[in-house]
Amino acid sequence: MNDLEPQAVLSWVERFITRIDDQVQELTELDRRSGDGDFGTNMVTALSRAKAKFSPAPADAGAPFSSLSTAFLEHSGGTSGPLFGMWFREFALAGEGSPAFSTALLADAARNGVATVRRLGSASVGDRTMVDAMAPAADALAEAVEDDVPAARALRLAAEAARAGADSTSSIIARRGRASYVGEAALGAPDPGAVAVALFFESAG
Ligand code: ADP
Ligand code: MG
Ligand code: MG
């Protein structure tokens, strides 16, 4: 009953787009400190394409994520584009053919999503990438399944875990991505990809 129906998933994704739009300058500034300063633009470009692809009446719970995934895979420059594209693809696959996202389906999506990103980017937790927010969010959702937590509350727990993970990147010297070229210069500011993941889960509720 608490499961997220297609319309609720669409609203979640739309809130995420709005939050990224609102924070584009902060995200760009973070990428300027630890990379090449195009992260905000890369995100906004993909997300504006996603908006154009949304169906106002999504066919199943995965459909809004499918539009999001395709937009990232087709239209974003930068390393984050294909990685987010493949991450959201796992959310699309988990919800495909389902009338709603349960906590268990969300946990499947997050587990498969982070596994895919880790494989493609060869990044582990602690390398100062988006994985540092994706992995704790996936763990929080898996725990929520064990504890029989309803989907909306499970997503709040995932958001807290993702935010804590993103915050933790402020004190990590990068081992992956462009941030690894700047070493200690990035200390004190979080990884923009990890912050975007926290914003995604925070947009759920
Ligand atoms: P680019 O460095 O190509 O300009 P973006 O600015 O689009 O890429 O994205 C940067 C983000 O991508 C980083 O903040 C980090 O979260 C993520 N990232 C970079 N390299 C990797 C990797 N190997 N694995 C996982 N995530 C990565
Ligand atoms: Mg960049
Ligand atoms: Mg770039």
Side-chain angles (χ1 to χ4, degrees):
M1 183 187 308
N2 257 304
D3 292 354
L4 294 187
E5 292 176 1
Q7 210 63 51
V9 176
L10 179 59
S11 302
W12 170 10
V13 172
E14 285 175 340
R15 282 193 296 273
F16 171 54
I17 295 177
T18 304
R19 294 203 63 176
I20 294 288
D21 280 344
D22 289 348
Q23 304 234 357
V24 63
Q25 271 168 350
E26 287 88 338
L27 291 167
T28 288
E29 187 49 39
L30 290 178
D31 194 39
R32 203 170 280 137
R33 279 189 69 162
S34 58
D36 56 359
D38 60 354
F39 182 79
T41 318
N42 290 342
M43 290 295 286
V44 166
T45 305
L47 293 174
S48 67
R49 306 284 181 150
K51 261 193 229 174
K53 288 177 190 288
F54 289 143
S55 156
D60 58 32
F65 289 126
S66 179
S67 307
L68 203 50
S69 167
T70 309
F72 272 105
L73 291 174
E74 288 178 352
H75 297 293
S76 175
T79 312
S80 62
L83 295 178
F84 277 129
M86 294 303 283
W87 190 57
F88 286 122
R89 187 162 176 273
E90 294 297 344
F91 284 76
L93 291 172
E96 196 173 65
S98 289
F101 262 103
S102 59
T103 303
L105 281 182
L106 288 165
D108 286 349
R111 186 189 61 239
N112 294 335
V114 73
T116 301
V117 171
R118 288 181 63 153
R119 181 167 46 78
L120 293 174
S122 309
S124 302
V125 170
D127 285 349
R128 193 190 160 95
T129 70
M130 55 176 73
V131 168
D132 289 322
M134 289 171 172
D139 291 345
L141 288 168
E143 210 178 306
V145 176
E146 293 301 310
D147 298 345
D148 232 354
V149 175
R153 169 141 179 76
L155 284 167
R156 282 198 292 279
L157 295 171
E160 281 169 21
R163 178 56 68 178
D167 287 349
S168 79
T169 61
S170 296
S171 51
I172 298 176
I173 295 177
R175 282 191 289 265
R176 294 280 167 204
R178 283 182 203 280
S180 62
Y181 309 152
V182 303
E184 289 182 12
L187 286 179
D191 173 70
V195 171
V197 171
L199 290 171
F200 170 68
F201 284 108
E202 286 166 1
S203 304

